[in-house]
Each structure stands twice: as structure tokens, then as C-alpha cells.
Amino acid sequence: DLAMPGLPAFDMLALDQALGQLASIDPRLVRVVELHCFAGLELDDVGRLTDTSGRTARRDWHRARAFLAVNLEGSPS
């Protein structure tokens, strides 16, 4: 099981599947998740690395987190 801030515990397979679905909708959101959650970067740094502002990175993080919360809600933990 894995936990991310703002999300319930879930398994890695469910996360991989949800990130794959998200990538088909908006690949930048997946990049934000990777940089913020897995690389541990602050959202201002994520913005710089994705050629956006920190504000846009925060907005992208909220969108990605909402998508993942909905898609991981029923996954076994």
C-alpha cells in the first residue's frame, strides 16, 4: 500500500493504471504528479521544470489529485 498527501492508501498497480488514464487526458498532469510526489519537488520548482508558473503547477496538482482521488477511490488498499 502507498499513501500520497490528500489521497487514501492505494496499491501501485491501481496508481499506474490511474496515471495511464490521466496521461491520455493530460500528460502534463502526470509529469506534475511525478515531480511533486515521487521526486519530492515543491510546486514552484515543478512549474519551472514544466515551463509553467508555480500557480499553474498548483492548479495542475489540484486537478491531478482530484482525478486520482476519484479513480483510486474504489481500489483495494
Side-chain angles (χ1 to χ4, degrees), residues 17-60:
Q17 291 171 344
L19 287 174
Q21 292 172 350
L22 184 57
S24 69
I25 297 168
D26 191 336
R28 187 176 77 202
L29 297 183
V30 174
R31 187 72 177 137
V32 169
V33 171
E34 292 170 343
L35 292 170
H36 184 57
C37 292
F38 302 124
L41 297 177
E42 296 294 326
L43 290 169
D44 287 331
D45 296 325
V46 171
R48 281 189 282 281
L49 288 171
T50 57
D51 294 322
T52 63
S53 67
R55 184 175 179 190
T56 297
R58 277 185 283 287
R59 213 172 17 244
D60 286 347

